[in-house]
Amino acid sequence: QVHLVESGGGLVQAGGSLRLSCAASGSFFRLYAMGWYRQAPGKERELVARITSDGSTNYADSVKGRFAISRDNAKNTVYLQMNSLKPEDTAVYYCNALLYGAFYWGQGTQVTVSS
């Protein structure tokens, strides 16, 4: 079982920045593929960014050039740096871990971007 705890959400004005953190339990964090997803009201959950165990990353087109995902294996933590935020980035952001075919989710953190 992998336990994930997100933090760093909040209210920010358009054009501002936030950094989300996700702390993971377990001794094998370096093997996890980690991702950030988001879900806006009335919409399906969507992938925002993902980072593999070897550090490869990919992003949703809507956030390319604005968001950056990174990981610190020594701290069992994955980050999402969000810059140039837009009102349409408003959503609950969820951390996700994938290990040996099993998915794990955090409880989510709210990000609200005001115009």
Side-chain angles (χ1 to χ4, degrees):
Q1 186 72 19
V2 176
H3 186 54
L4 304 172
V5 179
E6 301 101 332
S7 61
L11 174 64
V12 64
Q13 289 188 332
S17 299
L18 284 174
R19 189 176 81 154
L20 305 183
S21 300
C22 172
S25 65
S27 303
F28 302 102
F29 177 79
R30 68 188 186 283
L31 301 179
Y32 306 165
M34 300 296 298
W36 287 97
Y37 289 71
R38 67 187 181 188
Q39 187 166 19
K43 295 187 176 182
E44 294 186 354
R45 192 173 296 189
E46 62 176 358
L47 174 68
V48 176
R50 184 163 46 205
I51 185 167
T52 64
S53 58
D54 65 1
S56 299
T57 59
N58 65 286
Y59 298 90
D61 288 343
S62 59
V63 306
K64 282 181 180 176
R66 300 189 297 123
F67 290 11
I69 189 171
S70 62
R71 64 191 298 157
D72 186 336
N73 289 340
K75 296 182 178 180
N76 278 23
T77 301
V78 64
Y79 304 97
L80 184 68
Q81 178 67 45
M82 304 186 295
N83 300 324
S84 302
L85 283 161
K86 304 176 181 180
E88 51 264 42
D89 295 318
T90 295
V92 178
Y93 283 70
Y94 296 91
C95 180
N96 167 272
L98 171 62
L99 181 65
Y100 302 135
F103 286 93
Y104 303 91
W105 294 95
Q107 82 287 352
T109 185
Q110 177 70 47
V111 171
T112 302
V113 184
S114 63
S115 57

